[in-house]
Amino acid sequence: MAESIRILMCPPDHYDVDYVINPWMEGNIHKSSRDRAVEQWQKLHHVLKDVAVVDLVNPQKGWPDMVFTANAGLVLGDNVVLSRFFHEERQGEEPHFKQWFEDNGFTVYELDEDLPFEGAGDALLDREGRWLWAGYGFRSELDSHPYLAKWLDIEVLSLHLIDERFYHLDTCFCPLTGGYLLYYPGAFDSYSNHLIEMRVPVEKRITIEEADAVNFACNAVNVNQTIVMNKASDRLKESLQEVGFNIIETPLTEFLKAGGAAKCLTLRITEPVLEDVHANTPIESRILRMEGHLLDAGIMNTALDLVVDNGGSFKVLNFNLGIERQSTSVADVRVSAPSHQLMEEISRQLIDLGAVAPPQEVCDVKIETVTKAGVAPDDFYVTTIYPTEVRVNGEWSRVQEQRMDAAIVVRETNGQTTASCKILRDLAIGDRVVVDVDGIRTARKTESREQRTTQEFSFMGAGVSSERRVELVVEQIAWELRQIRDRGGKVVVTAGPVVIHTGGAQHLSSLMRNGYVQALLGGNAIAVHDIEQALMGTSLGVDMQKGVPVRGGHRHHLKVINTVRRCGSIAQAVEQGVLPKGVMYECVKNNIPFCLAGSIRDDGPLPDTEMDLIKAQAEYARLLEGTDMILMLSTMLHSIGVGNMTPAGVKMVCVDINPAVVTKLSDRGSVESVGVVTDVGLFLSLLVNQLEKLTSPYQLS
Ligand code: ARG
């Protein structure tokens, strides 16, 4: 018997499921049998007495969960950090545990009242004593971890719990003698899994399946080579035995009803301190300020969700709520993250949402120089579509040529600073590129309540676009198209071949004839099938009148390509009278510039298709300059490309039958995007119809 190991338990005299504070307790109120619980507890007690000395704390009436002594606090050497329970239901246990620790000679550390931490339920020492694993996400707050490091003088590795069934670290994670680790990876986010894998070599990691996890197999008490648990599958027992452990199963089903098992019912109170182990925590915090229609526009929710989803935690330091409908709010938020890398990631995302450092902490951007052409420094700031400013020598300057997915290059000539977006491949040696997240701010045009209502009116991304809703959106788009045309503005269309397959060619042609389109962007296919339809009446071999495949129709597009190639170009085909109608015909006739970006198929291409994609991209960008509105018609890939080249402020209308495409494209988080889930041919016909109504008494031909 290992005399030196002591364990604290609490007899289940007052144990019951009286409330619900974890998913296991749901449906189990007063469903556990006290007699059976006592019997199971005694068995566990008996088993443990063979391997350790068991001390008891007096159970207290009214605190049914006090049996779970793992949550009393976290012990290391003579020190204990007392628990601060997250739920009121357990907070009354704190003074009783505190008393016990004091009576037994421990130095007790207490966290602030509003900083939850649930003791050894959420903090587990590596059994070699090298570091402390600490969980957060449900019960304990990440911000409690730096205190553990400081008070207990140990390195803390924070793990983010993401499955509410495994709300305490000890429900899914169990460090074992000899550096082994028994755990359920599904309970952790990917960052935490990565951290575990970095610290524990693969031959020491014993991962379990969900079936074992829900039997609380990880909620095990390990003393030397013995592991005591509720229940384990044969496979798990074998793998533990293989590496020299002796498994004792003892049923604890009555306690599972409260969400606990063997480990929860115990607290190891002899945890030796290692000489050469010292405090260290990679946790970082910083304060960021959010400003705007934080509530109206849902920015605050988005921001705080984003912090938590990335494994960080936050504390809102102050929140100045705009009182009037039109006034904006300001909030200072302290954000913490378990590592520098995650802190940077979270900061970047918050900056994209418009967060800035509070005035006293604003500093200049960090800049690194390009040393290899076409390659940015590692931590370069990746741009968004939103207007961005960078601070150089204490002055903010607006980034030029704003677009997404670029780097920011800063130039200083004669004391004048300019900053502009540059795509990676254009970076030249010596370019000075903005890195990290300091000194950068983006202006998110935050929508007030009124703007949001109109957006919701028009936004169809939810996928429940009833026909009437489509009509309403079309009415609005028609009206805007009309405005843009009448003031000499610019509308660019990106279109895929589906426009032709769905019978949209005649309607798109009509828009072009009537001055509603100033440029067309697509690939080889839209032109091929448009011309196929104009020349042969089919699209991809399908008869456009009857809707049935035509015999030999699969050859049509090849013949068409061949014909145009003989003519020399689409324009020449029109001039020679070979191509008499259709979308491409209208482009030529109405001097509407177009760019057909590449083809991966080797059955063409048309002579006009630009097969050098870098040239095609440049041409797209040129044609997009000064655009007021982009109609994206059933072409995901070309539309994504176009979206990335376009700064915020340009209205985008994305039409696709697939709601996922619409959501992806119109989710630019800005007022200007409208998604319409519908058949594109139908959409175009409604649009032309609507424009006719607006245009009457003159008729659209
Ligand atoms: N009903 C208790 C709670 O939800 C169970 C505690 C289990 N303890 C543990 N260390 N996992 O707090």
Side-chain angles (χ1 to χ4, degrees):
M1 163 151 139
E3 288 292 353
S4 55
I5 293 174
R6 301 185 85 93
I7 287 175
L8 179 68
M9 292 181 75
C10 174
D13 303 12
H14 307 293
Y15 171 70
D16 197 355
V17 180
D18 279 354
Y19 43 75
V20 176
I21 56 171
N22 68 50
W24 304 93
M25 299 174 100
E26 246 158 65
N28 277 329
I29 290 193
H30 304 315
K31 292 264 169 66
S32 75
S33 133
R34 174 79 49 79
D35 292 346
R36 215 172 316 136
V38 169
E39 187 194 317
Q40 292 184 342
W41 185 91
Q42 274 167 352
K43 271 197 188 139
L44 175 69
H45 183 228
H46 185 79
V47 168
L48 291 178
K49 276 207 308 202
D50 285 345
V51 290
V53 176
V54 180
D55 289 342
L56 297 179
V57 53
N58 280 335
Q60 302 292 327
K61 194 154 190 278
W63 304 109
D65 272 338
M66 205 175 153
V67 281
F68 298 115
T69 51
N71 300 120
L74 170 67
V75 173
L76 181 58
D78 299 329
N79 298 320
V80 60
V81 180
L82 199 68
S83 283
R84 282 282 183 209
F85 285 96
F86 180 81
H87 291 108
E88 234 178 17
E89 285 86 341
R90 294 196 64 182
Q91 286 165 1
E93 299 171 35
E94 291 166 15
H96 303 293
F97 284 129
K98 181 176 177 188
Q99 189 66 53
W100 188 90
F101 286 121
E102 283 175 351
D103 293 348
N104 285 271
F106 286 91
T107 305
V108 178
Y109 290 92
E110 286 178 272
L111 292 154
D112 268 358
E113 255 171 50
D114 60 353
L115 192 54
F117 166 65
E118 300 204 347
D122 260 337
L124 298 164
L125 284 152
D126 161 57
R127 292 265 46 96
E128 308 292 284
R130 296 165 296 181
W131 55 72
L132 178 74
W133 299 102
Y136 69 102
F138 295 104
R139 298 295 185 84
S140 301
E141 193 57 54
L142 180 63
D143 281 332
S144 64
H145 295 179
Y147 291 96
L148 307 181
K150 186 170 85 178
W151 291 334
L152 304 178
D153 195 19
I154 191 160
E155 179 181 13
V156 177
L157 302 175
S158 304
L159 298 176
H160 188 201
L161 297 165
I162 54 168
D163 181 332
E164 61 171 354
R165 294 172 300 172
F166 306 106
Y167 58 95
H168 275 143
L169 184 62
D170 69 359
T171 60
C172 52
F173 191 90
C174 183
L176 301 172
T177 309
Y180 285 96
L181 174 67
L182 174 69
Y183 74 114
Y184 173 54
F188 301 93
D189 73 359
S190 58
Y191 173 82
S192 305
N193 271 302
H194 185 67
L195 182 64
I196 295 168
E197 287 164 21
M198 305 249 292
R199 286 295 171 121
V200 185
V202 57
E203 67 278 8
K204 300 259 167 165
R205 298 198 294 260
I206 305 165
T207 58
I208 66 167
E209 304 284 332
E210 190 176 11
D212 273 319
V214 296
N215 279 328
F216 273 57
C218 287
N219 198 254
V221 183
N222 169 224
V223 178
N224 302 323
Q225 293 311 114
T226 303
I227 302 177
V228 185
M229 60 170 80
N230 169 55
K231 192 177 158 67
S233 63
D234 290 344
R235 231 186 87 200
L236 174 58
K237 275 184 272 187
E238 273 161 32
S239 35
L240 287 168
Q241 277 154 1
E242 242 163 59
V243 292
F245 288 102
N246 162 35
I247 320 300
I248 303 176
E249 288 174 271
T250 178
L252 292 161
T253 46
E254 289 313 309
F255 297 98
L256 246 63
K257 293 176 184 165
K263 164 65 175 57
C264 301
L265 292 165
T266 64
L267 175 70
R268 186 153 166 157
I269 45 179
T270 39
E271 295 281 16
V273 179
L274 287 193
E275 285 285 315
D276 50 351
V277 165
H278 291 294
N280 181 17
T281 159
I283 296 175
E284 283 189 16
S285 312
R286 65 187 294 177
I287 296 172
L288 286 168
R289 171 166 294 185
M290 312 283 309
E291 217 169 331
H293 293 283
L294 299 182
L295 293 185
D296 269 16
I299 297 182
M300 205 60 189
N301 283 354
T302 314
L304 299 182
D305 281 356
L306 164 172
V307 172
V308 173
D309 291 349
N310 277 289
S313 73
F314 62 82
K315 182 164 182 169
V316 178
L317 301 178
N318 51 62
F319 196 152
N320 268 329
L321 196 57
I323 307 292
E324 305 281 328
R325 194 183 50 192
Q326 69 280 9
S327 48
T328 53
S329 314
V330 184
D332 286 333
V333 184
R334 201 189 62 225
V335 178
S336 307
S339 69
H340 176 70
Q341 186 201 342
L342 279 182
M343 189 71 232
E344 291 279 297
E345 184 54 41
I346 292 173
S347 305
R348 266 165 215 263
Q349 294 185 27
L350 287 174
I351 286 171
D352 293 349
L353 269 186
V356 291
Q360 63 281 9
E361 284 182 31
V362 177
C363 52
D364 276 1
V365 282
K366 283 197 215 133
I367 290 178
E368 273 177 39
T369 306
V370 171
T371 53
K372 181 170 179 171
V375 181
D378 260 351
D379 292 316
F380 76 104
Y381 175 79
V382 181
T383 59
T384 63
I385 58 171
Y386 303 104
T388 304
E389 292 183 332
V390 290
R391 191 171 181 272
V392 183
N393 302 327
E395 304 272 346
W396 287 101
S397 64
R398 173 74 177 265
V399 176
Q400 308 295 309
E401 292 162 66
Q402 189 65 46
R403 54 156 294 151
M404 203 171 138
D405 293 349
I408 298 175
V409 173
V410 175
R411 286 184 209 86
E412 280 159 281
T413 31
N414 311 326
Q416 271 290 95
T417 302
T418 52
S420 54
C421 287
K422 220 175 181 190
I423 48 179
L424 296 189
R425 62 172 180 246
D426 290 344
L427 291 173
I429 294 180
D431 274 350
R432 300 173 64 238
V433 170
V434 172
V435 296
D436 290 349
V437 292
D438 295 324
I440 304 172
R441 65 183 186 201
T442 62
R444 271 300 267 270
K445 192 169 87 195
T446 64
E447 308 121 42
S448 66
R449 181 167 291 283
E450 285 82 279
Q451 284 167 300
R452 271 178 76 72
T453 347
T454 36
Q455 183 196 19
E456 271 157 20
F457 153 75
S458 56
F459 184 68
M460 312 296 293
V464 279
S465 37
S466 70
E467 270 163 49
R468 179 62 195 142
R469 299 258 298 174
V470 172
E471 273 170 35
L472 287 173
V473 183
V474 168
E475 266 169 37
Q476 192 188 331
I477 297 169
W479 186 85
E480 278 176 61
L481 275 177
R482 181 62 189 279
Q483 300 278 312
I484 295 173
R485 185 191 69 173
D486 292 355
R487 65 163 193 265
K490 182 170 180 181
V491 173
V492 175
V493 170
T494 56
V498 178
V499 169
I500 314 298
H501 305 328
T502 56
Q506 50 172 321
H507 307 300
L508 185 51
S509 302
S510 152
L511 292 179
M512 291 176 146
R513 258 193 318 277
N514 288 285
Y516 289 108
V517 179
Q518 278 64 49
L520 174 71
L521 307 177
N524 189 63
I526 166 122
V528 168
H529 296 294
D530 170 60
I531 300 171
E532 177 191 340
Q533 197 205 334
L535 300 189
M536 322 196 67
T538 59
S539 185
L540 208 67
V542 173
D543 185 312
M544 291 303 289
Q545 299 296 326
K546 304 197 190 94
V548 290
V550 171
R551 191 186 297 265
H554 62 281
R555 281 194 287 268
H556 285 185
H557 73 280
L558 273 173
K559 297 202 167 161
V560 160
I561 292 170
N562 196 44
T563 305
V564 180
R565 288 174 74 91
R566 177 171 302 116
C567 294
S569 70
I570 295 173
Q572 278 163 339
V574 173
E575 270 150 39
Q576 293 163 23
V578 173
L579 178 60
K581 62 174 185 179
V583 172
M584 299 317 296
Y585 168 87
E586 297 298 344
C587 282
V588 174
K589 279 294 183 196
N590 298 288
N591 289 319
I592 299 169
F594 60 87
C595 177
L596 307 176
S599 172
I600 192 67
R601 299 172 58 144
D602 61 1
D603 55 4
L606 289 166
D608 303 75
T609 301
E610 179 54 73
M611 293 299 284
D612 180 337
L613 279 183
I614 293 193
K615 281 195 195 144
Q617 289 167 13
E619 185 60 6
Y620 262 46
R622 195 184 67 81
L623 292 176
L624 283 163
E625 269 166 31
T627 302
D628 299 290
M629 186 195 267
I630 304 174
L631 291 180
M632 301 175 154
L633 308 177
S634 288
T635 169
M636 178 166 72
L637 229 43
H638 295 101
S639 300
I640 291 175
V642 165
N644 290 3
M645 295 174 187
T646 310
V650 177
K651 176 129 195 165
M652 287 188 185
V653 177
C654 171
V655 186
D656 205 291
I657 194 76
N658 180 350
V661 171
V662 170
T663 310
K664 180 164 175 58
L665 286 172
S666 47
D667 188 17
R668 291 165 49 105
S670 53
V671 259
E672 315 88 45
S673 315
V674 178
V676 189
V677 178
T678 191
D679 175 275
V680 69
L682 176 70
F683 169 84
L684 284 168
S685 114
L686 288 173
L687 185 61
V688 169
N689 229 304
Q690 196 55 41
L691 283 165
E692 271 167 14
K693 280 193 210 156
L694 287 176
T695 316
S696 59
Y698 311 106
Q699 280 293 297
L700 258 172
S701 45

